[in-house]
Amino acid sequence: MKRHVLSALFLTVSVLSTSVFASEIVEGVKTDSASIEAKLPKKKLTIAHHYLTPKQSYDIKKNGGKNVLFVDIRSPAELQFVGHAVNIDGNVPYITFDYSDWDKKKKTYKSDFNSGFVGQVEDLMKKTGINHGKNTEIILMCRSGDRSARAADLMKKNGYTNVWSAYEGFEGDKAKSGENKGKRVVNGWKNAGLPWTYKLDKDKTTFIF
């Protein structure tokens, strides 16, 4: 009887300590929001003021493991043909594309908001076991930080308190001048030299359309 009680107590302490540890990771490496927001365009700002660089995102996921959910919110095609971080937990698109329709103004395929986004992130939480309710630490990454900001706001409005936008994204921002003008070589996960791959993991593509 005592053995079972001690085992249960040990398990409870372990769960609590790992949860606190994950929170400390985020608090310890997060960038000062005021200084970051002073440099960011309006479309990258979030209502929670939670921002992470690629290196911070990598370190948090590496050290936090099963206490931090890392989600790539780009389209499945972007992951397949542009690549993705090797340590993401899954892909939940924030925007979907209609390849049968054309947006003349944007000169691209028509796109639409994924109305099931929050529910699909919650499904991913259940699948991975990275589920601490509304306090789950979640990192969202898109191409350059625009979609992740909007997605973070949506999660915040749905009660999630620890959602972080990887504000440089996977590809980074475009150079405004020089020989690489217009190319995404300024910052971002790939340009930081962090681990990435073109190979898709079927288990991480469950929540695509």
Side-chain angles (χ1 to χ4, degrees):
M1 181 66 177
K2 289 184 178 180
R3 182 177 298 176
H4 291 302
V5 172
L6 288 173
S7 297
L9 180 61
F10 176 77
L11 179 61
T12 300
V13 172
S14 297
V15 171
L16 289 174
S17 64
T18 53
S19 180
V20 171
F21 176 64
S23 297
E24 290 176 346
I25 292 171
V26 173
E27 290 301 317
V29 303
K30 70 179 182 181
T31 304
D32 177 68
S33 61
S35 62
I36 284 297
E37 289 184 337
K39 299 182 291 184
L40 291 181
K42 186 176 180 179
K43 59 187 177 182
K44 289 192 179 189
L45 301 181
T46 72
I47 57 179
H49 313 290
H50 287 175
Y51 310 99
L52 294 171
T53 65
K55 184 61 166 58
Q56 289 171 336
S57 300
Y58 175 77
D59 288 341
I60 288 172
K61 179 57 186 175
K62 179 181 178 180
N63 295 318
K66 284 293 184 179
N67 288 295
V68 179
L69 188 73
F70 189 11
V71 190
D72 193 314
I73 66 168
R74 295 174 298 156
S75 69
E78 287 176 276
L79 270 70
Q80 182 170 0
F81 298 113
V82 181
H84 60 87
V86 297
N87 56 342
I88 60 170
D89 293 296
N91 170 221
V92 180
Y94 180 71
I95 295 291
T96 60
F97 290 89
D98 182 355
Y99 296 106
S100 66
D101 204 356
W102 185 253
D103 188 324
K104 293 181 180 179
K105 184 178 180 180
K106 295 181 179 179
K107 295 183 179 180
T108 185
Y109 295 107
K110 280 285 183 69
S111 61
D112 195 11
F113 162 66
N114 173 15
S115 60
F117 180 79
V118 175
Q120 289 162 20
V121 171
E122 292 172 339
D123 286 342
L124 183 60
M125 289 164 58
K126 294 174 184 176
K127 178 187 177 183
T128 60
I130 306 174
N131 189 352
H132 304 289
K134 298 292 185 178
N135 197 44
T136 303
E137 281 151 7
I138 303 172
I139 301 172
L140 303 177
M141 185 166 66
C142 62
R143 180 179 63 183
S144 58
D146 299 0
R147 278 172 283 178
S148 61
R150 301 289 69 77
D153 285 350
L154 179 63
M155 296 297 290
K156 173 70 174 177
K157 291 174 182 176
N158 278 271
Y160 286 87
T161 59
N162 275 323
V163 182
W164 300 77
S165 172
Y167 68 91
E168 293 180 9
F170 181 72
E171 289 188 76
D173 294 310
K174 293 179 180 178
K176 296 180 179 179
S177 61
E179 61 180 15
N180 289 316
K181 182 178 180 180
K183 297 179 181 179
R184 297 187 181 279
V185 297
V186 177
N187 48 32
W189 186 280
K190 291 181 78 172
N191 294 314
L194 296 169
W196 65 277
T197 181
Y198 288 117
K199 295 181 180 179
L200 295 177
D201 182 338
K202 185 176 181 295
D203 289 336
K204 296 180 180 181
T205 57
T206 304
F207 301 98
I208 65 175
F209 293 94

